[in-house]
Amino acid sequence: MKKTALITGASRGIGAGIARLFAKEGYRVVINYYKSGDAAEAVKREIISEGGEADVFCCDVADCSGVEQMVGFAKRRFGAVDVLVNNAGVALFGLVTDTTEEERRRVTDVNLHGVFNTSKAVLPDMVSRKSGVIINISSIFGLSGASCETVYSATKGAVISFSKALSREVGPSGIRVNCIAPGVISTDMNKSLTPADLAELKERTSLNAVGEPCDIAAAALFLAGDGAKYITGQVITVDGGII
Ligand code: NAP
C-alpha cells in the first residue's frame, strides 16, 4: 500500500527535491506552497508525467486554519498522512539592532509556529493509527548560531528542541520525530551569495562542495523509511563536513 507524504514549502528548492524523490520512491505526495503556485504545479506535472501521484495545496504554514484545511485535503485526496516533512522556511539577514518586530514575528511564525501547526494537525490521526513520521528541516545554524541570522538561528534551534520534546511525547504512540540540519544548499535561499561567497563557503567544508536539494531529500527518505524505525529525537547534519 502506497504511503502519503505531506511536504511543506515544496514548490521550490529543498522541498521540491524531497517531493520529487519521495514520489520516485512510490510515495503519494502533497506539495504545499504559499506564493509560487506555478512552480508547485510544475513539480506536480513532472511527478505525474513520470508515473507518480501528487497534488498541490496552497496555504501559509503560519495560518492554523489553512494548515487544518490542508491536512483535511490530504486525507480526502490520498487517505492519510503517513509522513509529514516540515520544510517551509524563510531566511532573515541583518543585525539584531536592525530587525523590526514585524520581521522577527514573521520568521518565527513561519519557521517555528508553522512546524507546530502542521504537527498538531496531523498528530490525532497518527496517534489513532499508532504510526507516523515527522521530519523537520532545521539548519546547522540552529546548532551553531550564525552572526546576522540570530532570529533565523533561534527559530531553527527551537525546531530542534521542539522535535526532541515531541519525539518523547509521541514515541509511545509509535510516531517518530527527527530533524535534518542542512549546511549550505544550492537554492533560491542562497541566491544573493556571490561566487566569491560560495567559494569561501565551499572551502569551509571537508568535501569542498555546496550541497544540492537531493542531498537533503536522501536523508529525509531514509528517516521516513523502515530503515530508520529505531531512530527518533535525533538531528542528522547534512553539510559536507563543515570545518
Ligand atoms: P527556498 O528555496 O527559499 O524555498 C522555500 C520554500 O518554502 C518555498 O517552497 C516556499 O514556497 C516555502 N515557503 C516559504 N514560506 C512559506 C509559508 N509561509 N507557507 C508555506 N510555504 C512557505 O528555501 P530552501 O533553501 O529550499 O529551504 C527549505 C528549508 O531548508 C527551509 O526551512 C530552510 O530554512 C532550510 N535550510 C536551507 C538551507 C540552504 O542553504 N538552502 C540551509 C539550512 C536550512 P512559496 O515560494 O510557494 O511561498
Side-chain angles (χ1 to χ4, degrees):
M1 169 103 176
K2 276 192 165 190
K3 289 190 169 178
T4 300
L6 167 57
I7 303 148
T8 68
S11 50
R12 300 182 285 115
I14 291 171
I18 294 172
R20 288 187 179 102
L21 183 63
F22 273 57
K24 207 170 276 175
E25 294 298 321
Y27 285 84
R28 298 169 165 137
V29 296
V30 178
I31 298 162
N32 159 251
Y33 71 97
Y34 182 34
K35 292 183 178 156
S36 306
D38 290 348
E41 290 290 347
V43 176
K44 172 183 166 179
R45 275 197 305 277
E46 185 188 321
I47 288 171
I48 291 172
S49 73
E50 288 173 9
E53 286 183 78
D55 215 332
V56 298
F57 194 91
C58 174
C59 85
D60 177 356
V61 292
D63 169 22
C64 290
S65 69
V67 164
E68 277 166 17
Q69 285 169 33
M70 173 170 68
V71 171
F73 169 81
K75 287 189 326 202
R76 283 194 305 281
R77 185 71 179 81
F78 292 134
V81 176
D82 301 288
V83 179
L84 166 66
V85 184
N86 280 309
N87 165 81
V90 287
L92 178 65
F93 300 92
L95 296 168
V96 164
T97 43
D98 291 338
T99 301
T100 65
E101 186 179 344
E102 194 187 345
E103 287 171 332
R104 172 174 61 80
R105 286 191 188 282
R106 182 61 188 158
V107 174
T108 308
D109 278 348
V110 175
N111 292 3
L112 177 59
H113 301 156
V115 172
F116 177 89
N117 291 340
T118 49
S119 302
K120 186 176 174 187
V122 299
L123 276 170
D125 279 1
M126 286 185 175
V127 169
S128 37
R129 289 199 318 273
K130 286 210 160 286
S131 83
V133 175
I134 298 178
I135 300 164
N136 295 326
I137 308 298
S138 174
S139 164
I140 51 165
F141 294 162
L143 294 163
S144 66
S147 170
C148 294
E149 294 195 59
T150 51
V151 179
Y152 177 81
S153 300
T155 62
K156 293 299 183 177
V159 164
I160 290 173
S161 14
F162 174 80
S163 307
K164 285 180 180 279
L166 185 62
S167 73
R168 293 174 186 269
E169 192 169 308
V170 300
S173 300
I175 300 159
R176 296 187 293 104
V177 186
N178 289 291
C179 273
I180 298 174
V184 182
I185 308 299
S186 180
T187 68
D188 291 345
M189 194 171 269
N190 291 318
K191 69 182 173 201
S192 61
L193 295 174
T194 64
D197 292 334
L198 282 172
E200 195 191 322
L201 287 165
K202 272 187 195 176
E203 265 178 37
R204 284 203 226 149
T205 68
S206 305
L207 297 176
N208 192 29
V210 162
E212 300 295 331
C214 62
D215 298 318
I216 306 305
L221 185 71
F222 167 68
L223 285 174
D226 281 349
K229 68 181 175 43
Y230 198 49
I231 300 177
T232 195
Q234 303 304 307
V235 184
I236 296 189
T237 297
V238 183
D239 68 354
I242 297 267
I243 301 164

